[in-house]
Amino acid sequence: MLSLRNLHACYGQAHILADVSLDVGAGEVVVLLGRNGAGKSTTLKSIMGLLPPHSGEIHFDGARIDGKAPHDIARLGLGYVPEDRRIFTDLTVEENLEVGRQAERAKTPLWTPERVFALFPNLAEMRHRSAAQMSGGEQQMLAIARTLMGNPRLLLLDEPSEGLAPVIIAQMARSIGELKSQGLTVLLSEQNLHFASQVADRAYVLEKGRIRYQGAITELANDPDARRAYLSV
Amino acid sequence: MTFSSIVLQFINGLAGTSSLFLVAAGLSLIFGVTRIVNFAHGSFYMLGLYVAYSAIGFFGTTILGFWGGIVAAALVIGVLGAVIEILVLRRIYQAPELFQLLATFAVVLVIKDAALGIWGPEDLLGPRAPGLRDAVTILGGNVPQYDLALIVIGPLVLAALWLLLNRTRFGILIRAATQDREMVAALGVNQKHLFTAVFFLGSLLAGLGGAVQIPREPAQLFLDIAVIADAFVVVVVGGLGSIPGAFLAAFIISVVKAFCIGIGDVTILGFDVSFSKLTLVVEFVIMAIVLVVRPWGLLGRPQGQQRGAGMLSQPLPQIGRRFLLIAGSIVVLLALLPALGDRYLLVLLIDILIFALFAASLHFLIGPAGMVSFGHAAYFGLGAYGAALLLKQAGLPMELALLLAPLVAGAGALLFGWFAVRLSGVYLAMLTLAFAQIVWSIAFQWDAFTGGSNGMVGIWPAEWLSSRTVFFYLTLIVCLGAVAGLWRILYSPFGYAMRAGRDSPLRAEAIGIDVRSVQWFAFAIAGLFAGIAGALFAFSKGSISPDLLGIPRSVDALVMVLLGGVQTLVGPVVGAAIFTWLQDEIARATEYWRAILGLVILLLVIAFPQGIAGFAGRLLARRRSAQS
């Protein structure tokens, strides 16, 4: 469904991604693991067109998307939830959802505020509240909900567990599981292997901008050498 | 003042609120979403008046014709704004914010000459509103009916805007984009359409603000700059991006102005105080007070650290042997030029040298010190006025006046800088503009001391400097010496501290740099050096006028710096040379020199978003890397 081929990306002089290739199949949940600065966020930003890649190709559903503008990529059915959530704190919860709303897409279930609130019941209670008055966990849920309102077919989640309390992380894992069961494809980045192994089918491990490991998440979880080499601090 | 006159002045102020609010609301919306400080906004207001004048003339002065003409004018200006966004600004959203500013100023020049071409130089006073021609008597005073209509229009538009921003998808997108436009794009919203729509709406409001004034104020060509200054003040006092704030600020400023006119000349404690003359300054005084007490405006919210108006700052190049060699040869070449015996060339060169110093002093402030000033002409003018006043009023010899005049400018910069460095980004820029306007108003109105609007004449250099050639050598030595001095400061420990404070105020403070003091001192240095240029200018022309302090001159300096390239050392000097020469050449060839200049600037901005010297530098770097 999504494939990256020999992707290179740079910030000015700094070469962040080198020759990254990866694939995400329909209905899969795939996790990008790696330490801080490994290039996980950059990979997701490149896919979304927020940081146009230096070279390489990105295909989504058979169409080449690298070089397209972010809003065009979003309209093709890629939903992006950024690392720092980037909630519109001047807007209410409902208004945040409105910004994310897009027209219905063929062969994709339509998300409405009611459906979103069913997935994240906490949000329903604060729909008229200013987003500035929400906790980190609630903001993370709102960020995902807002992106779902665009009826994506593939969700890019940048470190959804970062900075959240364990009980919220567990809730987040359940929500991602539910999205998967509804047929949504997910590519997420993570540092938290425990969280990743709860939600993901397959994993890629990034180190210094290169893919070092790929395989089923269960294999990685049971491979202490690989864990030590790429993930331990 | 009696109770009834207080009420009447209050009504007067309320009537003035509407138009000011409309313009400011449009400016605020455009800035919020696109982050462009749209200098052309005042031009849209001016065009609103002109187009309304013509439209009402076309439709006829019936009730329908009058209001139809006003609505038509607003729509025409809205479309014009959208077209300018599509043709010009859309191409430069990736460029530094200051370049966008430069582009909008070029638009100001083009629009001014277009209006001159279409409507001519005469003031055009529109018809009075049919059905609202009379006055009503309130508490014994006459209030025009049209003023009452205006009092209703302002709050109506405020309510309509509130509904639009809070109850429609378009409004929600505007508010979201004001906070994080990249995220809005990542959610599938086409930014281009949003920006164009916002420009349409903002320009429409400016056009409407102008059009509704047609029975009260004639359409005039100087309104563009006057109104943009007013609108800046209102937006900043109210808080950037806050529409209710804009209304509140427009209200306060209009009412205070109305009272100043109403009070007129009175004697307080034995001093004659002319409140009506204060109207030119009073809004800027209000702004200065508000910004110092509440730096983010009355209803605005504190913003994150803005610095250098979104510029990527690169380290300054090291001055190498080659640079010195080239610079030295140019100086020698310049020194030989008087041998040609071309008097006109010498006059032009003196201008270029003076403006090169002026631009370099502004560059010192904008580039390495990271503080954008919209009012640098204040210090140029203070230098010029200082020289003239020391010569004429204090009776000092010319040499001493030339020596001391820059200190006047430096002292002014020290005073204003103390306030200015408390702010950053756009707010700082607006405050510098306010201070420049205050200085201008004083020079303009204090007839007895400064010569008022006429300025002063007979400010000639001493006998031994009176020949053009000798004065040229004096200018050459002083200007080049001063520019070299400014550059030397950049490479001194103070210059490093200044650049560190610009790049990361927090880290600079953590290593023991008192960033605010460094900025304050830098502000004073820039003012002092601008003063040197101003003093020389006064003696080179033999006369001074308030124009020297005006907003257009401040903008000229900005254009020189940005045209040359703010990232480079020589940029401002190159920019000053090209700008001064171009202005001179075009002004001799055509009456419409502003439009030509504006178009040239637009072309340059779109073609070289790094400035001319910056572009040349990158070309050199590319060639070098290609060779190696």
Side-chain angles (χ1 to χ4, degrees), chain B residues 12 19 56 70 101 241 244 364 385 399 427 435 442 472 555 606:
Chain B
N12 234 333
S19 176
I56 296 170
I70 285 184
L101 190 82
F364 184 84
Y385 269 90
E399 295 87 347
Y427 284 102
F435 283 134
I442 293 172
F472 169 76
V555 177
I606 291 171

Side-chain angles (χ1 to χ4, degrees), chain A residues 48 50 70-71 74-75 78 80 82 85-92 95 98-102 146-147, chain B residues 165-167 169 172-173 175-177 179-193 301:
Chain A
M48 208 54 213
L50 295 171
H71 70 268
R75 286 177 186 188
L78 269 164
Y80 170 66
R85 296 159 199 150
R86 294 170 79 166
I87 288 298
F88 304 115
T89 48
D90 290 347
L91 275 55
T92 65
E95 288 172 335
E98 174 62 30
V99 178
R101 185 171 64 83
Q102 290 289 325
R146 181 180 64 181
T147 302
Chain B
L165 287 174
N166 289 282
R167 292 285 178 269
R169 174 171 170 85
I172 291 171
L173 291 182
R175 283 159 58 214
Q179 200 180 351
D180 186 347
R181 46 186 174 163
E182 192 187 55
M183 192 62 226
V184 172
L187 289 168
V189 177
N190 188 337
Q191 284 200 51
K192 282 182 184 166
H193 295 171
R301 251 168 284 186

Side-chain angles (χ1 to χ4, degrees), chain B residues 365-570:
Chain B
L365 199 59
I366 293 183
M371 293 180 278
V372 177
S373 169
F374 287 176
H376 204 53
Y379 312 106
F380 184 80
L382 277 175
Y385 269 90
L389 292 171
L390 287 168
L391 188 80
K392 289 278 167 186
Q393 307 280 9
L396 294 184
M398 175 266 172
E399 295 87 347
L400 206 57
L402 181 62
L403 212 63
L404 293 180
L407 296 179
V408 176
L414 211 56
L415 174 66
F416 295 147
W418 187 87
F419 294 94
V421 297
R422 260 135 249 275
L423 305 172
S424 62
V426 181
Y427 284 102
L428 189 154
M430 304 270 173
L431 190 63
T432 56
L433 180 111
F435 283 134
Q437 195 65 11
I438 290 174
V439 177
W440 177 84
S441 303
I442 293 172
F444 191 80
Q445 295 183 355
W446 200 353
D447 293 316
F449 191 58
T450 62
S453 56
N454 293 327
M456 299 166 75
V457 290
I459 305 144
W460 292 113
E463 193 62 39
W464 64 278
L465 288 165
S466 59
S467 104
R468 271 295 117 177
T469 312
V470 180
F471 196 81
F472 169 76
Y473 281 117
L474 174 77
T475 311
L476 186 71
I477 293 166
V478 173
C479 287
L480 292 183
V483 170
L486 275 174
W487 289 354
R488 178 68 193 84
I489 295 172
L490 293 180
Y491 292 93
S492 72
F494 176 79
Y496 294 139
M498 197 169 84
R499 282 146 68 185
R502 169 199 65 187
D503 289 342
S504 174
L506 276 182
R507 276 175 234 176
E509 291 202 346
I511 56 169
I513 296 171
D514 182 352
V515 172
R516 201 172 265 178
S517 295
V518 169
Q519 284 182 330
W520 185 27
F521 201 43
F523 200 94
I525 292 175
L528 181 84
F529 280 79
I532 300 176
L536 276 173
F537 190 75
F539 287 119
S540 80
K541 299 293 173 204
S543 65
I544 52 166
S545 73
D547 286 353
L548 294 181
L549 298 146
I551 295 173
R553 188 161 306 266
S554 292
V555 177
D556 280 356
L558 266 178
V559 173
M560 292 172 195
V561 171
L562 297 174
L563 208 59
V566 78
Q567 302 282 0
T568 60
L569 267 186
V570 291

Side-chain angles (χ1 to χ4, degrees), chain B residues 202-513:
Chain B
S203 310
L204 181 142
L205 287 171
L208 185 62
V212 295
Q213 287 290 86
I214 192 75
R216 304 177 89 219
E217 143 179 69
Q220 299 164 82
L221 287 169
F222 76 88
L223 280 173
D224 49 0
I225 293 294
V227 168
I228 193 64
D230 285 353
F232 277 173
V233 171
V234 170
V235 168
V236 167
V237 169
L240 274 181
S242 166
I243 302 292
F247 190 84
L248 181 65
F251 170 71
I252 292 174
I253 288 171
S254 302
V255 169
V256 173
K257 269 189 169 181
F259 273 97
C260 280
I261 296 171
I263 294 171
D265 299 347
V266 287
T267 309
I268 300 174
L269 302 173
F271 288 98
D272 291 329
V273 180
S274 168
F275 277 94
S276 51
K277 280 192 175 176
L278 273 179
T279 48
L280 281 172
V281 203
V282 72
E283 60 192 89
F284 294 101
V285 175
I286 293 174
M287 169 159 123
I289 294 170
V290 167
L291 281 184
V292 170
V293 179
R294 240 182 110 80
W296 49 89
L298 292 174
L299 298 186
R301 251 168 284 186
Q303 293 189 317
Q305 266 286 337
Q306 282 179 317
R307 62 181 178 83
M311 273 183 302
L312 275 174
S313 21
Q314 289 153 0
L316 286 172
Q318 285 301 320
I319 293 184
R321 184 178 285 248
R322 210 162 115 192
F323 179 91
L324 291 175
L325 211 68
I326 296 174
S329 346
I330 293 175
V331 172
V332 171
L333 212 67
L334 282 172
L336 291 176
L337 278 176
L340 294 177
D342 184 342
R343 201 182 134 78
Y344 187 79
L345 180 72
L346 281 190
V347 172
L348 182 63
L349 275 176
I350 290 173
D351 276 2
I352 286 180
L353 284 166
I354 289 171
F355 286 120
L357 173 58
F358 182 33
S361 74
L362 179 62
H363 169 260
F364 184 84
L365 199 59
I366 293 183
M371 293 180 278
V372 177
S373 169
F374 287 176
H376 204 53
Y379 312 106
F380 184 80
L382 277 175
Y385 269 90
L389 292 171
L390 287 168
L391 188 80
K392 289 278 167 186
Q393 307 280 9
L396 294 184
M398 175 266 172
E399 295 87 347
L400 206 57
L402 181 62
L403 212 63
L404 293 180
L407 296 179
V408 176
L414 211 56
L415 174 66
F416 295 147
W418 187 87
F419 294 94
V421 297
R422 260 135 249 275
L423 305 172
S424 62
V426 181
Y427 284 102
L428 189 154
M430 304 270 173
L431 190 63
T432 56
L433 180 111
F435 283 134
Q437 195 65 11
I438 290 174
V439 177
W440 177 84
S441 303
I442 293 172
F444 191 80
Q445 295 183 355
W446 200 353
D447 293 316
F449 191 58
T450 62
S453 56
N454 293 327
M456 299 166 75
V457 290
I459 305 144
W460 292 113
E463 193 62 39
W464 64 278
L465 288 165
S466 59
S467 104
R468 271 295 117 177
T469 312
V470 180
F471 196 81
F472 169 76
Y473 281 117
L474 174 77
T475 311
L476 186 71
I477 293 166
V478 173
C479 287
L480 292 183
V483 170
L486 275 174
W487 289 354
R488 178 68 193 84
I489 295 172
L490 293 180
Y491 292 93
S492 72
F494 176 79
Y496 294 139
M498 197 169 84
R499 282 146 68 185
R502 169 199 65 187
D503 289 342
S504 174
L506 276 182
R507 276 175 234 176
E509 291 202 346
I511 56 169
I513 296 171

Side-chain angles (χ1 to χ4, degrees), chain B residues 39-61:
Chain B
F39 255 105
H41 207 68
S43 309
F44 293 155
Y45 172 97
M46 178 187 80
L47 279 184
L49 270 163
Y50 276 111
V51 175
Y53 176 87
S54 295
I56 296 170
F58 178 77
F59 292 139
T61 350

